Amino acid sequence: MTHSHAQLVWQDGQPMSAVFGDVYFSRASGLEETRHVFLRHNRLEERFAALRPSGSFTIAETGFGTGLNFLCAWQCFDACAPAGARLHFVSAEKFPLTPADLAQALALWPELSAFATPLLAQYDVLTPGWHRFVLAGGRVTLTLMIGDVLDVLPQLDARVDAWFLDGFAPSKNPDMWQQPLFQQMARLSSPGASFATFTSAGAVRRGLAEAGFEVKKAPGHGHKRHIVHGGIATPPDAGWQEPWFARPEPRWRERSVVVVGGGLAGASTANSLAQRGWQVTVIERMPQLASAASGNPQGVLYTKLSPHLTPLTRLVLSGYAYSLRALRGLLPEGADWQACGVLQLAHDAKEAEKQQGLAGLELPETVMRPLDQAAASELAGTPLPSGGLFFPQGGWVHPPALVRKLVEHPNIVVKTGRTALTLDYDPSQRSWTASDERGPLAVASVVVLAGAAETAQFDSTRHLPLKKIRGQVTSVAASEASSRLRTVLCGEGYISPARGGRHCLGATFKFDADDLAVHDDEHAENLAMLAGLAPELRASLEKDAPEQLEGRAAFRCTSPDYLPLIGPVVAARDFVRAYRELARDATLELAETCPWADGLYVNAAHGSRGLITAPLSGEILASLLEGEPAPLPADLMRAVHPSRFLLRDLIRRKLDLDAP
């Protein structure tokens, strides 16, 4: 996948596309044209005002451009919609503007500055893939799909209420205005969805009509004679969908949820749902939040990528950008996190070859750039044996501080030092009760299990293939020389710049260990790793005797394919009974509704990438529970679906098909 930013030419202070030779908005009055075409002819003022207090509205757009349409829609929503309602805006963009160009373009509309400022605060150089922005305290979400609209819309899982059919004119950009675009619009529309577009070209009118839309002409704005608008009363049947990956019907009576697990995954889930008005109870078995794998003194915002856009690499790129946006909004940079950059060293020939392959991803230099040995050493502030890849946006985080900040919300109640031993579902009340040995801890409509490997201890989740891997980090007092380390160094392990006069380095991987004692031999392993990574840095720390070393051990939780498990849980035995025919023929289009465990979800197996994947996981779960547009493409939503292993084992005939 190639990727580049929009090439702009500024003429008389107005942005114009150098590639398409077309303007981004009307020179006379872009603002008034947007309001006339997209807001008025989608009847947004009255439709926003008519929303239920907890209702939501989804707009999809075919070209984000300068974000002008989005900001106008947000301004209108802010003025007209009930206080508890939410706006979801999904937009495709093949050539996103750079942050500097976006700021310059939006400066032309000072009356939108109250909305442009928070967008610009989160907007950064956008990598290929999907990017979720949470704005206005969760009242507004923006999902930017970076790629060709004809590639990204087929991957969108959403129900669209209004379409902004925008982009460069059909004469300038004929590749976009094709029948597949109109067919995708029809597929994604909710009943009664509307559309509006600035063009009245005959091919566009005919294409929309053929896809099932009622098409009307209306007077244009300014010098344009006509625009086109309309709607679709009954969208076409979407055809067969895999029922085991379908969204469960929302059956909850009230927005209440118990989250079991007080680490990054649990806190991120709690935060995303609390922002949507859910009443959340977080239950953590340890005396404090973030006491297990999320409790290390320094975690690394680290994007270990593959030269190919594998599901994991695509998930990591979306999660990395989301985590950075979340961090900037939640924690002041300094004691609890630093965007000091991450230097991934080419520590051996195999790693060097892999890093050369990553150039094919064509990521912008502000995301990733190669450095030779001399440049890497100068940037790190310490002599290094090799060069590597530098990720300037990355850095380190104190995970407990992030977890505490995520649960700091009036809708969240935290119960620590209590263990949810049993989960009981009452079908008549459609509610779950989580209890410990002393009795009920909380009652709620939904349960999200986010307790790492402990997630599989319940009857409903025993089938989930979760594995514990012990890891130990080492904390060492900084020396005079090591205090000059300015960036995180990564290779076989990592070392961070000093926090509070100490470095954090590690971490070991012990697949068969089941104790959490701190071991001297693993400290020695971490120090040996550092000696390979940065020999002079290790030598400067040599004066520290082993007994001065501190550390902690925890279990990472992983899955067989190293992707997290995020989503609804099935009743395993009923699943096998419903889909057993797939063992005979995996191509069968079975229509049996999936036997979901009502209101039960999991968020686990983030492995050593929790800082990258856990924050976004909260948005994934919230989108499923609320019926919102998914923050990731459909193939990635399937790649993290908890049922994928059950499905795979069924097809491979690894399950007992005759179990009662």
Side-chain angles (χ1 to χ4, degrees), residues 515-530:
D515 75 294
L516 290 177
V518 175
H519 299 309
D520 286 347
D521 61 333
E522 289 187 54
H523 280 326
E525 215 176 297
N526 284 332
L527 290 167
M529 172 279 297
L530 179 59

Side-chain angles (χ1 to χ4, degrees), residues 296-309:
N296 288 344
Q298 287 172 290
V300 179
L301 277 161
Y302 179 32
T303 56
K304 197 158 191 180
L305 304 173
S306 156
H308 310 288
L309 282 171

Side-chain angles (χ1 to χ4, degrees), residues 84-241:
R86 305 183 73 251
L87 174 66
H88 306 289
F89 197 97
V90 184
S91 188
E93 181 54 64
K94 190 173 183 179
F95 301 110
L97 270 67
T98 64
D101 281 338
L102 190 71
Q104 188 174 344
L106 295 180
L108 296 170
W109 316 113
E111 70 178 272
L112 294 175
S113 64
F115 306 95
T117 300
L119 172 63
L120 289 167
Q122 290 196 31
Y123 190 90
D124 208 331
V125 171
L126 298 177
T127 52
W130 294 30
H131 297 274
R132 168 63 63 97
F133 296 75
V134 178
L135 299 154
R139 182 164 156 83
V140 175
T141 60
L142 167 65
T143 306
L144 278 182
M145 307 176 292
I146 305 305
D148 190 295
V149 67
L150 296 178
D151 293 332
V152 297
L153 278 189
Q155 288 288 329
L156 177 59
D157 178 6
R159 282 289 154 264
V160 177
D161 299 305
W163 286 93
F164 290 5
L165 186 47
D166 200 5
F168 297 116
S171 59
K172 307 279 188 181
N173 185 20
D175 289 348
M176 185 190 98
W177 303 84
Q178 302 282 336
Q179 198 58 33
L181 170 63
F182 309 133
Q183 300 296 146
Q184 286 298 325
M185 287 173 59
R187 175 185 77 85
L188 291 162
S189 290
S190 58
S194 64
F195 81 89
T197 181
F198 64 89
T199 180
S200 61
V204 173
R205 298 199 313 273
R206 290 189 294 274
L208 284 162
E210 189 180 322
F213 289 89
E214 180 191 10
V215 181
K216 306 172 193 168
K217 271 189 180 182
H221 181 266
H223 65 278
K224 288 190 178 168
R225 287 180 57 198
H226 295 110
I227 63 163
V228 169
H229 68 109
I232 187 164
T234 310
D237 182 358
W240 181 75
Q241 310 280 316

Side-chain angles (χ1 to χ4, degrees), residues 450-457 466-469 555-558 604-605:
E454 279 72 34
T455 293
Q457 73 187 14
L466 300 176
K467 183 170 178 59
K468 292 196 297 190
I469 303 175
F555 292 119
R556 308 172 186 87
C557 172
T558 65

